[in-house]
């Protein structure tokens, strides 16, 4: 596998970390800027929404630019936006800074995924995407504890200054070790949008939305779930998050390797079935520690193992619009995070946190249906083409 993929993985980790790094220090932000905790929480919501909306737009607008130069420019914008966040004296300034970092970060993540998919050999494409996915998943699951430690030790601004430092180091790495990457021939915007009219493509994006929403319904409220069902808090809670984080990060790499070896369709279907089963079973294991840990590890691994296979599936299904499909898929993922956290808040208020797992499992089960239909549409299309040859 091309060694430049490791550099892209580092970049994706640094950029992805900013989304949830504020999650563990919301109380510090709220107290310092004299806003409510709920208002501080909107800083996560607005990031996810801006990220999801701007990613495909920026991908289209910048389609003609050489990719290395484009990445360096947006890394600079990303670092400046986080400086705005770090030195914000009022909530409105912090809000705008989060929007800017989301917009610049959205394109950087898509660049990492698309460059990784194109710089290596086709037989290692799944692994390459898998490694970049490991960077993204690692940043999401480790962002909260990193922000928590730095924020409580040095103040809530410290995590963002830390991100600025890592971003500048990433720029040095890209400048010296990344070769120029020319953009693919631009596909007309109308054709890119029309690709979503193909049911197999739309259903693939729907699969991403549903499985990530199902995952977030429980993961966003995993702390109260563990506290209320197992009576665990403090250091043991940190241990659980650490184990989950390792599982989630490794899931991206394992999913990519399996996708290359056994094919995208078999990998997607298997991981989604295991994903749904693990989240349904998890509430039943809370009284038995070893079994709970095993099921949680499976849940964590499957939460990111499907991503490389699904990205490869989109490339195979729509090669002419592969870049924009990966961008749209990343948007579907972030819309899923926003929707899942919203549904999770309703479930936890109207029922009990244990029901979050059931609600999440239902949505993931729907994602199995959408990907099965999508794959059948692909088969029908190929059969249809074969008839007329």
């Amino acid at each position: 596998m091309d060694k430049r993929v490791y550099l892209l993985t580092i970049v994706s980790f640094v950029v992805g970390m900013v989304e949830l790094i504020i999650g563990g220090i919301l109380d510090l932000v709220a107290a310092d800027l004299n806003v409510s905790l709920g208002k501080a929480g909107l800083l996560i919501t607005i990031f996810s929404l801006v990220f999801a909306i701007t990613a495909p737009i920026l991908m289209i607008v910048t389609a003609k630019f050489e990719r290395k130069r484009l990445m360096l420019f947006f890394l600079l914008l990303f670092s400046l936006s986080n400086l705005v966040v770090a030195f914000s004296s009022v909530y409105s300034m912090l809000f705008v800074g989060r929007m800017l970092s989301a917009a610049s970060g959205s394109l950087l993540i898509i660049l990492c995924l698309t460059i990784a998919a194109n710089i290596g050999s086709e037989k290692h494409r799944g692994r390459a995407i898998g490694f970049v996915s490991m960077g993204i998943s690692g940043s999401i699951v480790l962002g909260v504890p990193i922000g928590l430690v730095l924020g409580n030790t040095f103040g809530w601004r410290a995590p963002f200054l830390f991100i600025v430092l890592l971003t500048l180091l990433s720029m040095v790495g890209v400048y010296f070790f990344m070769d120029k990457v020319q953009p693919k021939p631009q596909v007309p915007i109308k054709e890119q949008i029309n690709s979503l009219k193909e049911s197999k493509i739309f259903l693939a994006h729907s699969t991403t939305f549903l499985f990530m929403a199902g995952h977030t319904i429980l993961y966003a409220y995993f702390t109260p779930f563990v506290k209320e069902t197992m009576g665990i808090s403090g250091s043991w809670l940190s241990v659980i998050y650490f184990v989950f984080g390792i599982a989630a990060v490794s899931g991206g790499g394992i999913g990519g390797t399996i996708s290359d070896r056994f094919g995208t369709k078999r990998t997607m279907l298997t991981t989604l079935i295991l994903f749904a089963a693990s989240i349904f079973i998890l509430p039943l294991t809370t009284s038995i520690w070893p079994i709970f840990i095993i099921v949680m590890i499976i849940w964590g691994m499957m939460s990111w193992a499907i991503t490389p296979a699904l990205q490869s599936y989109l490339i195979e299904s729509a090669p002419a619009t592969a870049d924009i499909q990966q961008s749209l898929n990343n948007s579907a993922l972030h819309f899923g995070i926003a929707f899942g956290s919203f549904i999770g808040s309703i479930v936890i208020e109207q029922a009990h946190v244990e029901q979050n797992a059931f609600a999440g499992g239902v949505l993931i089960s729907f994602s199995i249906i959408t990907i099965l239909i999508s794959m059948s549409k692909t088969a029908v299309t190929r059969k249809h083409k074969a008839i007329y040859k």
Side-chain angles (χ1 to χ4, degrees):
M1 188 171 65
D2 196 304
K3 290 183 172 58
R4 291 173 293 177
V5 172
Y6 301 113
L7 175 59
L8 294 171
T9 301
I10 294 172
V11 173
S12 68
F13 178 86
V14 174
V15 174
M17 190 165 53
V18 78
E19 180 168 10
L20 295 180
I21 199 169
I22 200 171
I25 53 174
L26 285 178
D27 54 337
L28 302 178
V29 175
D32 185 50
L33 299 182
N34 195 29
V35 297
S36 67
L37 195 60
K39 195 172 182 179
L42 289 177
L43 296 169
I44 296 176
T45 304
I46 192 61
F47 188 101
S48 295
L49 290 176
V50 171
F51 194 108
I53 293 169
T54 57
I57 296 174
L58 288 174
M59 200 67 195
I60 293 172
V61 172
T62 62
K64 294 182 179 180
F65 292 92
E66 190 272 318
R67 309 330 255 169
K68 176 183 176 179
R69 182 179 298 179
L70 186 65
M71 178 172 282
L72 286 171
F73 178 73
F74 271 84
L75 280 170
L76 178 60
L77 290 180
F78 184 73
S79 64
L80 292 175
S81 64
N82 281 288
L83 279 176
V84 171
V85 171
F87 291 102
S88 295
S89 56
V90 293
Y91 178 80
S92 58
M93 185 177 177
L94 177 56
F95 197 86
V96 171
R98 289 286 288 176
M99 292 177 68
L100 293 174
S101 64
S104 54
S106 68
L107 181 63
L108 288 168
I109 291 295
I110 300 305
L111 286 174
C112 288
L113 286 168
T114 54
I115 292 174
N118 291 306
I119 61 176
S121 61
E122 185 174 340
K123 70 175 183 178
H124 290 142
R125 184 170 58 195
R127 286 186 63 196
I129 297 174
F131 267 86
V132 175
S133 297
M134 284 175 64
I136 301 169
S137 61
S139 67
I140 289 177
V141 299
L142 297 177
V144 173
I146 290 174
L148 191 61
V149 171
L150 291 175
N152 286 325
T153 305
F154 304 106
W156 71 265
R157 302 173 195 276
F160 298 100
L161 292 174
F162 178 63
I163 288 175
V164 171
L165 175 62
L166 293 180
T167 304
L168 293 176
L169 292 174
S170 298
M171 290 179 67
V172 173
V174 171
Y175 182 82
F176 286 105
F177 300 108
M178 181 67 68
D179 298 330
K180 288 186 177 181
V181 180
Q182 296 301 325
K184 290 184 176 181
Q186 189 176 14
V187 178
I189 295 177
K190 184 178 180 180
E191 186 177 335
Q192 296 182 27
I193 296 174
N194 285 340
S195 68
L196 288 176
K197 294 180 180 179
E198 294 186 39
S199 56
K200 65 178 180 180
I201 300 298
F202 179 78
L203 288 167
H205 292 307
S206 299
T207 299
T208 295
F209 171 81
L210 288 169
F211 86 71
M212 185 50 67
H215 169 66
T216 308
I217 285 177
L218 179 59
Y219 183 69
Y221 302 93
F222 195 44
T223 294
F225 174 84
V226 171
K227 287 182 175 179
E228 293 187 28
T229 61
M230 304 178 71
I232 293 172
S233 60
S235 58
W236 281 110
L237 184 59
S238 300
V239 170
I240 287 176
Y241 269 106
F242 180 72
V243 172
F244 184 94
I246 293 176
V249 172
S250 62
I254 293 172
T257 302
I258 294 174
S259 176
D260 285 338
R261 184 167 183 178
F262 297 104
T264 57
K265 296 178 181 178
R266 188 181 300 178
T267 301
M268 288 188 297
L269 194 55
T270 302
T271 53
L272 282 174
I273 291 173
L274 289 174
F275 194 16
S278 62
I279 203 169
F280 273 129
I281 294 171
L282 195 69
L284 306 177
T285 66
T286 52
S287 60
I288 311 172
W289 251 93
I291 297 179
F292 172 80
I293 294 297
I294 292 172
V295 175
M296 185 191 72
I297 288 173
I298 295 173
W299 169 39
M301 291 180 66
M302 295 304 104
S303 66
W304 285 95
I306 186 178
T307 303
L310 213 155
Q311 293 279 7
S312 295
Y313 174 72
L314 284 168
I315 294 172
E316 295 167 3
S317 301
T321 58
D323 286 2
I324 193 65
Q325 297 308 331
Q326 291 182 72
S327 176
L328 290 170
N329 195 248
N330 200 51
S331 293
L333 186 146
H334 282 83
F335 277 127
I337 292 175
F339 181 74
S341 60
F342 173 72
I343 296 298
S345 67
I346 295 176
V347 174
I348 199 172
E349 288 182 4
Q350 300 298 323
H352 188 269
V353 70
E354 285 190 3
Q355 298 303 316
N356 283 53
F358 176 78
V362 170
L363 285 186
I364 297 170
S365 298
F366 283 139
S367 74
I368 297 174
I369 297 173
T370 56
I371 200 60
L372 279 172
I373 298 174
S374 175
M375 290 190 292
S376 69
K377 293 292 183 180
T378 303
V380 169
T381 300
R382 287 178 179 170
K383 182 178 179 181
H384 179 76
K385 287 181 178 178
I387 291 174
Y388 288 95
K389 280 186 176 180

